[in-house]
Amino acid sequence: DRNAATLFGMPLKYISLITLAVQNAALTIIMHTSRTTIDPSRQYSAASAVFVNELLKGSISFVIALYRVDSQPKRAGSSASSWSRIWRDIFSSDCWKLSIPAILYVFQNNLQYVAATNLDTATFQVTYQMKILTTAVFSVLLLGRQLTRMRWLALVLLALGVGIVQIQSTASNDGHGHEHHEMHPFVGFMAVTAACFTSGLAGVYFEMVLKNSQADLWVRNVQLSLFSLLPALLPAVVDVHAAGESFPFGLFRNFGFWAWATVWTQVLGGLITAIVIKHADNILKGFATSLSIIISFIASVALFHFRVTPSFVLGAGIVLGATWLYNQPQPPSSPTISFSASS
Ligand code: C5P
């Protein structure tokens, strides 16, 4: 049973979901701070940060995968070393499958910087919850998952709540709240919307690859990072050249405390996300992160003097209510609606 894994006696499923909620709130605030409080002329390259993130995450996953291969009993009669076994696992005949989520995540990770740069943290977080809807639709389409009418209602409410927050933000946010930086809410919204699509599709695709094969999670993660490296590197190299720097050291231009804090928080998030997809699923992941709204909302008021408007409270309230509704226990015979019968 995949729900049975425990850590310190607690189900890994819940530990990973709670950790992800906290990590999400932290990332939103750290990334926003790193992009908006630094003078634009001394700004680090977001594309480089995405590349470094993949490099670190892939390396950590590789070390874990190697450790796991080492601790497995050798197959009878096999004299293969750990290195050759891990090599064979990583470059398996189906490793190409990870190229699809890898490319989607590179887009998403870059879009996330555009969004965090142009929206205040609370608005960004609430709007990003739309990925629950895209994830649900892709789960139904690709995994053949069925959802009850109640759950579809929860998803529609979620979209409504996000819409209300979006209207208030476009109307009342003049984008001049920061000393060094002018925000463009429309650009931010377009970026978030696109990121919601890649998030849903990539997450469900990764879940499908993971749950339809025996391969180890950490091997899958190494494959994911390997396929990300090239598409992540290309825009980073363009940035390095545009800044008149030389490769590879130019990648780390203006990498100060906040840039590293953002990258490491993202590395942590990527690793936890993988664990959540394995031990829970993508739809639950979305609802867990919607809880991080409260955490980052309080922090936004305290740190960035975010103005609390009645429509923000209403929209965020509907999002949280939808979360609660979605997670109500399902009666065994509830009517379900699905787009596809395959599973
Ligand atoms: O917003 P969402 O939850 O879709 O973000 C997923 C994040 O987790 C992305 O930044 C992606 O790069 C990362 N990820 C990962 N390894 C996985 C799955 C996702 O690093 N196996």
Side-chain angles (χ1 to χ4, degrees):
D1 179 7
R2 66 188 160 86
N3 294 332
T6 60
L7 189 69
F8 306 122
M10 252 175 86
L12 201 52
K13 177 176 169 180
Y14 294 109
I15 296 181
S16 59
L17 286 167
I18 293 165
T19 316
L20 191 67
V22 176
Q23 181 274 342
N24 250 263
L27 178 63
T28 312
I29 291 164
I30 294 172
M31 186 184 278
H32 183 78
T33 305
S34 81
R35 298 309 281 175
T36 55
T37 57
I38 298 168
D39 189 284
S41 64
R42 286 186 288 116
Q43 189 56 269
Y44 65 95
S45 152
S48 289
V50 172
F51 173 73
V52 175
N53 168 41
E54 288 306 334
L55 206 59
L56 292 172
K57 213 171 53 186
S59 310
I60 293 172
S61 299
F62 179 76
V63 171
I64 299 175
L66 191 62
Y67 171 81
R68 287 169 65 88
V69 163
D70 250 345
S71 56
Q72 273 167 14
K74 274 193 179 174
R75 268 162 244 151
S78 160
S79 60
S81 69
S82 306
W83 285 98
S84 67
R85 281 199 287 168
I86 192 89
W87 191 263
R88 212 177 42 212
D89 285 351
I90 291 172
F91 296 100
S92 61
S93 60
D94 70 345
C95 70
W96 62 269
K97 285 181 184 164
L98 276 298
S99 63
I100 295 164
I103 292 168
L104 289 169
Y105 276 140
V106 169
F107 270 111
Q108 177 178 338
N109 290 340
N110 278 289
L111 285 167
Q112 210 179 341
Y113 278 93
V114 177
T117 311
N118 289 295
L119 295 172
D120 61 72
T121 55
T123 306
F124 168 62
Q125 273 239 315
V126 173
T127 319
Y128 209 17
Q129 298 311 308
M130 286 287 288
K131 67 186 170 188
I132 301 179
L133 194 58
T134 56
T135 303
V137 170
F138 285 118
S139 294
V140 169
L141 289 177
L142 297 179
L143 293 169
R145 203 156 278 165
Q146 301 205 332
L147 296 178
T148 58
R149 287 216 181 102
M150 199 55 109
R151 289 196 156 171
W152 281 115
L153 176 69
L155 292 168
V156 171
L157 280 177
L158 174 82
L160 184 76
V162 171
I164 291 172
V165 170
Q166 173 175 341
I167 291 164
Q168 76 90 28
S169 167
T170 333
S172 73
N173 189 333
D174 57 9
H176 295 288
H178 294 272
E179 203 181 328
H180 292 301
H181 177 77
E182 185 156 349
M183 294 197 282
H184 305 281
F186 182 73
V187 174
F189 280 125
M190 295 312 286
V192 171
T193 307
C196 286
F197 273 93
T198 58
S199 170
L201 182 55
V204 170
Y205 202 96
F206 185 75
E207 187 175 344
M208 192 168 74
V209 172
L210 198 65
K211 292 181 178 169
N212 286 346
S213 81
Q214 292 295 309
D216 187 60
L217 167 68
W218 302 102
V219 170
R220 289 303 193 199
N221 260 359
V222 175
Q223 295 170 334
L224 189 68
S225 283
L226 280 179
F227 280 110
S228 301
L229 288 179
L230 193 61
L233 185 61
L234 292 178
V237 169
V238 171
D239 272 2
V240 168
H241 278 286
E245 299 269 333
S246 59
F247 184 81
F249 298 109
L251 284 177
F252 298 101
R253 185 173 156 269
N254 293 334
F255 256 64
F257 171 81
W258 285 108
W260 281 113
T262 306
V263 167
W264 277 108
T265 313
Q266 261 201 319
V267 168
L268 180 70
L271 298 173
I272 305 167
T273 299
I275 296 173
V276 166
I277 294 178
K278 181 171 164 69
H279 294 282
D281 65 56
N282 269 293
I283 302 183
L284 272 178
K285 168 173 86 60
F287 279 97
T289 49
S290 79
L291 295 180
S292 67
I293 292 178
I294 303 175
I295 308 171
S296 60
F297 172 69
I298 295 167
S300 287
V301 174
L303 297 174
F304 307 120
H305 311 291
F306 177 69
R307 257 182 300 144
V308 187
T309 61
S311 52
F312 180 87
V313 175
L314 178 68
I318 293 176
V319 169
L320 290 173
T323 307
W324 175 81
L325 188 62
Y326 188 92
N327 285 295
Q328 289 307 297
Q330 301 299 302
S333 61
S334 351
T336 58
I337 303 171
S338 69
F339 298 146
S340 99
S342 66
S343 67

